[in-house]
Amino acid sequence: LRRDDGDDGAASDVSSECSGEPGSPYGSPYPRWPVCKLAARMPPPAPLLQRLGTEPRRGGARDRKAGCTGTHFSAAPELQLMKERFSKLLLGEDMSGGGKGVSTAAAISNAITNLYATVFGSCHRLEPLPVEKKSMWRREMDCLLSVCDYIVEFFPSKDILPDGTTREVMATRPRSDIYVNLPALEKLDDMLLEILDGFQKTEFWYLNDKAHKDSCDDSAPCRPASHRGEERWWLPVPCVTKSGLTEPARRDLRQKHDCASQIHKAAMAINNGILAEIKIPESYTQTLPKCGRASVGDALYRGMSFPGKFSPEYLLDCLEISSEHEALEAADRVEAAMHVWRRKAGHGHARSPWGAVKDLMESDKNVMLASRAEDALLCLKHRFPGLSQTTLDASKIQHNKDVGQAVLESYSRVLESLAYTIVTCIDDVLFADESARKI
């Protein structure tokens, strides 16, 4: 670029004025910070575009009109879909743009939950996931999890200059909870999909599977059986031959059952840990009763306050809970009472965590009741692994503002649900096999 001041000899190079030298009217006053040279460099492609395998569009409306027929926009529909979803994510699910939407953390949590429902909502059989759905799950989860790449924490470090001088600086690293839990969740995700891929050729089929029905001869009729009764009548019923499964197939099913069960426990542990770290919303604490006994009822309170050794299994056996609805209602009451007793025990230690209060006041009755309520709640969740979210958990997810915690909580929750679904489906097949061998 050249500038003409009206005189042939007065032309000068504008780039020399933008070199960042001291005293230049266009440069930076700091000699080591050139302005124009940095601005002239093209920024690298965004991480999202790199993962989608596309290039950033460098032009405006002209490039958009002229490039629609070229190879440059081969991934335009996919990119447009991702742009639309991320736009809704940033708007907080408020399409009016008035700022009345949910927080970014809640929007990401809802996006992961809705994606799981779209991909695995109809997963009620032991069969490989379709290629299209698997590709959709991988691609969109990769984009939703990419936000964690930029959630970092500062830590003191040392930097050595070229002249050998050492100076203290603040460096960044992934936040500790994301650094520990996110790779573990991704590994559990891969293991669950690998389990589903292992059901390519099976010795069982389902009642409404016409292809297997036609190929089944009269000498080996199918024997449908289910232990669910009428509780979930809409789920497909597995069928096996008259002689049941072979020993290798039965052994393989049990191995996959044990693996999926361990994955379920691991995902549940991560989810419970993340939920425990999320701050209790003020709206929930305002609804707590003043007395924990009024929340749990007289029968539960007598079992928890009984002196001597406490057994949560025996307490739940006495309640005779027969359905998940009753279990969820009991979990809500026990959890509310637990926080009432914790609040009373820590009234004089408002700024101390619950663990410190528990150690300092071990002899307090409120501490004992809160600890027993926590044990009963944990036992209740293990006894009913498919239990829905409690009122407190739903309130935490709704009012949470931490994006990293929202990603980890929703990701672990959907993996926990998928693992539980696989476990129950394998249980159905093993039950049908056992019923066929008894006949």
Coordinates of all heavy atoms in Angstrom, one line a residue, residues 73-128:
F73 N -18.3 -26.1 0.0 CA -19.5 -26.2 0.9 C -20.1 -27.7 0.9 O -21.3 -27.8 0.9 CB -20.6 -25.2 0.5 CG -20.3 -23.8 0.9 CD1 -19.5 -23.0 0.1 CD2 -20.7 -23.3 2.0 CE1 -19.2 -21.7 0.4 CE2 -20.4 -22.0 2.4 CZ -19.6 -21.2 1.6
S74 N -19.2 -28.6 0.8 CA -19.7 -30.0 0.8 C -20.3 -30.4 2.1 O -21.2 -31.2 2.2 CB -18.5 -31.0 0.5 OG -17.5 -30.8 1.4
A75 N -19.8 -29.8 3.2 CA -20.4 -30.0 4.5 C -21.3 -28.9 5.0 O -21.5 -28.7 6.2 CB -19.3 -30.2 5.5
A76 N -21.9 -28.1 4.0 CA -22.7 -27.0 4.4 C -23.9 -27.4 5.2 O -24.3 -26.7 6.2 CB -23.1 -26.2 3.1
P77 N -24.7 -28.4 4.8 CA -25.9 -28.8 5.6 C -25.5 -29.1 7.1 O -26.2 -28.7 8.0 CB -26.5 -29.9 4.9 CG -26.0 -29.8 3.5 CD -24.6 -29.2 3.6
E78 N -24.5 -29.9 7.2 CA -24.0 -30.3 8.6 C -23.6 -29.1 9.4 O -23.9 -28.9 10.5 CB -22.9 -31.3 8.5 CG -22.4 -31.8 9.8 CD -21.3 -32.8 9.7 OE1 -21.5 -33.8 8.9 OE2 -20.3 -32.7 10.3
L79 N -22.8 -28.2 8.7 CA -22.3 -27.0 9.4 C -23.5 -26.1 9.8 O -23.5 -25.5 10.8 CB -21.3 -26.2 8.5 CG -20.8 -24.9 9.1 CD1 -20.0 -25.2 10.4 CD2 -19.8 -24.3 8.1
Q80 N -24.5 -26.0 8.9 CA -25.7 -25.1 9.1 C -26.5 -25.7 10.3 O -27.0 -24.9 11.1 CB -26.5 -25.1 7.9 CG -27.7 -24.0 8.0 CD -27.1 -22.6 8.0 OE1 -26.0 -22.3 7.5 NE2 -27.9 -21.7 8.7
L81 N -26.6 -27.0 10.4 CA -27.3 -27.6 11.5 C -26.6 -27.3 12.8 O -27.2 -27.0 13.8 CB -27.4 -29.1 11.3 CG -28.0 -29.9 12.4 CD1 -29.5 -29.5 12.6 CD2 -28.0 -31.4 12.1
M82 N -25.2 -27.4 12.8 CA -24.5 -27.1 14.1 C -24.6 -25.7 14.4 O -24.7 -25.3 15.6 CB -23.0 -27.6 13.9 CG -22.8 -29.0 13.6 SD -23.7 -30.1 14.8 CE -22.9 -29.6 16.3
K83 N -24.6 -24.8 13.4 CA -24.7 -23.3 13.7 C -26.1 -23.1 14.4 O -26.2 -22.3 15.3 CB -24.5 -22.5 12.4 CG -23.1 -22.4 11.9 CD -23.0 -21.7 10.6 CE -23.6 -20.3 10.7 NZ -23.6 -19.6 9.4
E84 N -27.1 -23.7 13.8 CA -28.4 -23.5 14.4 C -28.5 -23.9 15.8 O -29.1 -23.3 16.7 CB -29.4 -24.2 13.5 CG -30.9 -24.1 14.0 CD -31.9 -24.9 13.2 OE1 -31.4 -25.4 12.1 OE2 -33.0 -25.0 13.6
R85 N -28.0 -25.1 16.1 CA -28.0 -25.6 17.5 C -27.2 -24.8 18.5 O -27.6 -24.6 19.6 CB -27.6 -27.1 17.5 CG -28.6 -28.0 16.7 CD -28.4 -29.4 16.9 NE -29.3 -30.2 16.2 CZ -29.5 -31.5 16.2 NH1 -28.7 -32.2 17.0 NH2 -30.4 -32.2 15.5
F86 N -26.0 -24.4 18.0 CA -25.2 -23.6 18.9 C -25.8 -22.2 19.1 O -25.7 -21.6 20.2 CB -23.8 -23.5 18.4 CG -22.9 -24.5 18.9 CD1 -22.7 -25.7 18.4 CD2 -22.2 -24.2 20.1 CE1 -21.9 -26.7 18.9 CE2 -21.3 -25.2 20.7 CZ -21.2 -26.4 20.0
S87 N -26.5 -21.7 18.1 CA -27.2 -20.4 18.3 C -28.3 -20.5 19.3 O -28.5 -19.7 20.2 CB -27.8 -20.0 16.9 OG -26.8 -19.8 16.0
K88 N -29.1 -21.6 19.2 CA -30.1 -21.8 20.3 C -29.5 -22.0 21.6 O -30.1 -21.6 22.6 CB -31.0 -23.0 19.9 CG -31.8 -22.8 18.6 CD -32.6 -24.1 18.3 CE -33.5 -23.9 17.1 NZ -34.3 -25.1 16.7
L89 N -28.3 -22.6 21.7 CA -27.6 -22.8 22.9 C -27.2 -21.5 23.5 O -27.4 -21.3 24.7 CB -26.4 -23.7 22.7 CG -25.8 -24.4 23.9 CD1 -26.7 -25.4 24.6 CD2 -24.5 -25.1 23.5
L90 N -26.7 -20.6 22.7 CA -26.3 -19.3 23.2 C -27.4 -18.4 23.6 O -27.3 -17.6 24.5 CB -25.4 -18.6 22.2 CG -24.0 -19.3 21.9 CD1 -23.3 -18.6 20.8 CD2 -23.2 -19.3 23.1
L91 N -28.6 -18.6 22.9 CA -29.8 -17.9 23.3 C -30.5 -18.4 24.5 O -31.4 -17.8 25.0 CB -30.8 -17.9 22.1 CG -30.4 -17.1 20.9 CD1 -31.3 -17.3 19.8 CD2 -30.4 -15.6 21.2
G92 N -30.0 -19.5 25.1 CA -30.6 -20.1 26.3 C -32.0 -20.6 26.0 O -32.9 -20.5 26.9
E93 N -32.2 -21.1 24.8 CA -33.5 -21.7 24.4 C -34.6 -20.6 24.4 O -35.8 -21.0 24.4 CB -33.9 -22.8 25.3 CG -32.9 -24.0 25.3 CD -33.2 -25.1 26.3 OE1 -34.3 -24.9 27.0 OE2 -32.5 -26.0 26.4
D94 N -34.2 -19.4 24.3 CA -35.2 -18.3 24.1 C -35.1 -17.7 22.7 O -34.2 -16.9 22.5 CB -35.0 -17.2 25.2 CG -35.9 -16.0 25.0 OD1 -37.0 -16.2 24.4 OD2 -35.5 -14.9 25.4
M95 N -35.9 -18.1 21.8 CA -35.8 -17.7 20.4 C -36.2 -16.2 20.2 O -35.9 -15.7 19.1 CB -36.7 -18.6 19.5 CG -36.4 -20.1 19.6 SD -34.7 -20.4 19.1 CE -33.9 -20.8 20.7
S96 N -36.8 -15.6 21.2 CA -37.2 -14.2 21.0 C -36.0 -13.3 21.2 O -36.0 -12.1 20.7 CB -38.2 -13.8 22.1 OG -37.7 -13.8 23.4
G97 N -34.9 -13.8 21.8 CA -33.7 -12.9 21.9 C -33.8 -11.9 23.0 O -33.0 -11.0 23.2
G98 N -34.9 -12.0 23.9 CA -35.1 -11.0 24.9 C -34.3 -11.3 26.2 O -34.6 -10.6 27.2
G99 N -33.5 -12.3 26.2 CA -32.7 -12.6 27.4 C -33.5 -13.3 28.5 O -33.1 -13.3 29.7
K100 N -34.7 -14.0 28.2 CA -35.5 -14.6 29.2 C -35.2 -16.1 29.2 O -36.0 -16.9 29.8 CB -37.0 -14.3 28.9 CG -37.3 -12.9 29.0 CD -38.8 -12.7 28.7 CE -39.2 -11.2 28.7 NZ -40.6 -11.0 28.4
G101 N -34.2 -16.6 28.5 CA -34.0 -18.0 28.4 C -33.3 -18.5 29.7 O -33.0 -17.8 30.6
V102 N -33.0 -19.8 29.6 CA -32.3 -20.4 30.8 C -30.8 -20.1 30.7 O -30.3 -19.5 29.7 CB -32.5 -22.0 30.7 CG1 -33.9 -22.3 30.9 CG2 -31.9 -22.6 29.5
S103 N -30.0 -20.4 31.7 CA -28.6 -20.2 31.7 C -27.9 -21.1 30.7 O -28.4 -22.1 30.2 CB -28.0 -20.4 33.1 OG -28.2 -21.7 33.5
T104 N -26.6 -20.7 30.4 CA -25.9 -21.5 29.5 C -25.7 -22.9 30.0 O -25.7 -23.9 29.3 CB -24.5 -20.9 29.3 OG1 -24.7 -19.5 28.8 CG2 -23.7 -21.6 28.2
A105 N -25.4 -23.1 31.3 CA -25.3 -24.4 31.9 C -26.5 -25.3 31.8 O -26.4 -26.4 31.4 CB -24.9 -24.3 33.4
A106 N -27.7 -24.7 32.0 CA -28.9 -25.4 31.9 C -29.2 -25.8 30.4 O -29.7 -26.8 30.1 CB -30.1 -24.6 32.4
A107 N -28.8 -24.8 29.5 CA -29.0 -25.1 28.1 C -28.2 -26.3 27.6 O -28.6 -27.1 26.8 CB -28.7 -23.8 27.3
I108 N -26.9 -26.3 28.0 CA -26.0 -27.4 27.6 C -26.5 -28.7 28.2 O -26.5 -29.8 27.6 CB -24.6 -27.1 28.0 CG1 -24.0 -26.0 27.2 CG2 -23.7 -28.4 27.9 CD1 -22.6 -25.7 27.5
S109 N -27.0 -28.7 29.5 CA -27.5 -29.9 30.1 C -28.7 -30.4 29.4 O -28.9 -31.6 29.1 CB -27.8 -29.6 31.6 OG -28.4 -30.7 32.2
N110 N -29.6 -29.5 29.0 CA -30.8 -29.9 28.2 C -30.4 -30.4 26.8 O -31.0 -31.4 26.3 CB -31.7 -28.7 28.0 CG -32.3 -28.3 29.4 OD1 -32.4 -29.1 30.3 ND2 -32.8 -27.1 29.4
A111 N -29.4 -29.9 26.2 CA -28.9 -30.3 24.9 C -28.4 -31.7 24.9 O -28.7 -32.6 24.1 CB -27.9 -29.4 24.3
I112 N -27.6 -32.1 26.0 CA -27.1 -33.4 26.1 C -28.2 -34.4 26.4 O -28.3 -35.5 25.8 CB -26.0 -33.5 27.2 CG1 -24.8 -32.6 26.8 CG2 -25.6 -34.9 27.5 CD1 -23.7 -32.6 27.8
T113 N -29.2 -34.0 27.2 CA -30.3 -34.9 27.6 C -31.2 -35.1 26.3 O -31.6 -36.3 26.1 CB -31.1 -34.3 28.7 OG1 -30.3 -34.0 29.8 CG2 -32.3 -35.2 29.1
N114 N -31.4 -34.1 25.6 CA -32.3 -34.3 24.4 C -31.6 -35.1 23.3 O -32.2 -35.9 22.6 CB -32.6 -32.9 23.8 CG -33.5 -32.1 24.7 OD1 -34.3 -32.7 25.6 ND2 -33.5 -30.8 24.6
L115 N -30.2 -34.9 23.2 CA -29.5 -35.7 22.2 C -29.5 -37.2 22.6 O -29.7 -38.1 21.7 CB -28.0 -35.2 22.2 CG -27.1 -36.0 21.3 CD1 -27.5 -36.0 19.8 CD2 -25.7 -35.5 21.4
Y116 N -29.4 -37.5 23.9 CA -29.5 -38.9 24.3 C -30.9 -39.4 24.0 O -31.0 -40.6 23.6 CB -29.2 -39.0 25.8 CG -29.5 -40.3 26.4 CD1 -28.6 -41.4 26.3 CD2 -30.7 -40.5 27.1 CE1 -28.9 -42.6 26.8 CE2 -31.0 -41.8 27.7 CZ -30.1 -42.8 27.5 OH -30.4 -44.0 28.0
A117 N -31.9 -38.7 24.3 CA -33.3 -39.1 24.0 C -33.5 -39.4 22.5 O -34.2 -40.3 22.1 CB -34.3 -38.1 24.5
T118 N -32.9 -38.6 21.7 CA -33.0 -38.7 20.2 C -32.3 -40.0 19.7 O -32.8 -40.7 18.9 CB -32.4 -37.5 19.5 OG1 -33.1 -36.3 19.9 CG2 -32.6 -37.7 18.0
V119 N -31.1 -40.2 20.3 CA -30.3 -41.4 19.8 C -30.7 -42.7 20.4 O -30.8 -43.7 19.8 CB -28.8 -41.1 20.0 CG1 -27.9 -42.2 19.6 CG2 -28.4 -39.8 19.2
F120 N -30.9 -42.7 21.8 CA -31.1 -43.9 22.5 C -32.5 -44.0 23.1 O -32.8 -44.9 23.8 CB -30.1 -44.0 23.7 CG -28.7 -44.0 23.3 CD1 -27.9 -42.9 23.3 CD2 -28.1 -45.2 22.8 CE1 -26.5 -42.9 22.9 CE2 -26.7 -45.3 22.4 CZ -26.0 -44.1 22.5
G121 N -33.4 -43.1 22.7 CA -34.7 -43.2 23.2 C -35.5 -44.4 22.9 O -36.3 -44.9 23.6
S122 N -35.2 -45.0 21.7 CA -35.9 -46.2 21.3 C -35.0 -47.5 21.4 O -35.2 -48.5 20.8 CB -36.3 -46.1 19.8 OG -35.2 -45.9 19.0
C123 N -34.0 -47.4 22.3 CA -33.0 -48.5 22.5 C -33.6 -49.4 23.5 O -33.3 -49.2 24.7 CB -31.6 -47.9 22.9 SG -30.4 -49.2 23.1
H124 N -34.4 -50.4 23.1 CA -35.0 -51.3 24.0 C -34.6 -52.7 23.6 O -35.3 -53.7 24.1 CB -36.5 -51.2 24.1 CG -37.0 -49.8 24.5 ND1 -36.6 -49.3 25.7 CD2 -37.7 -48.9 23.9 CE1 -37.2 -48.1 25.8 NE2 -37.8 -47.8 24.7
R125 N -33.7 -52.9 22.8 CA -33.2 -54.2 22.3 C -31.7 -54.3 22.4 O -31.0 -53.3 22.3 CB -33.7 -54.5 20.9 CG -35.2 -54.4 20.6 CD -35.5 -54.8 19.2 NE -36.9 -54.8 19.0 CZ -37.5 -55.4 17.9 NH1 -36.7 -56.0 17.0 NH2 -38.8 -55.3 17.7
L126 N -31.2 -55.5 22.5 CA -29.8 -55.7 22.5 C -29.3 -55.9 21.0 O -29.3 -57.0 20.5 CB -29.4 -57.0 23.3 CG -29.8 -56.9 24.8 CD1 -29.5 -58.2 25.5 CD2 -29.0 -55.7 25.5
E127 N -29.0 -54.8 20.4 CA -28.6 -54.8 19.0 C -27.6 -53.6 18.8 O -27.7 -52.7 19.6 CB -29.8 -54.8 18.1 CG -30.6 -53.5 18.3 CD -31.9 -53.5 17.5 OE1 -32.1 -54.6 16.8 OE2 -32.6 -52.5 17.5
P128 N -26.8 -53.7 17.8 CA -25.9 -52.6 17.5 C -26.6 -51.3 17.2 O -27.7 -51.3 16.6 CB -25.0 -53.1 16.3 CG -25.2 -54.5 16.3 CD -26.5 -54.8 16.9

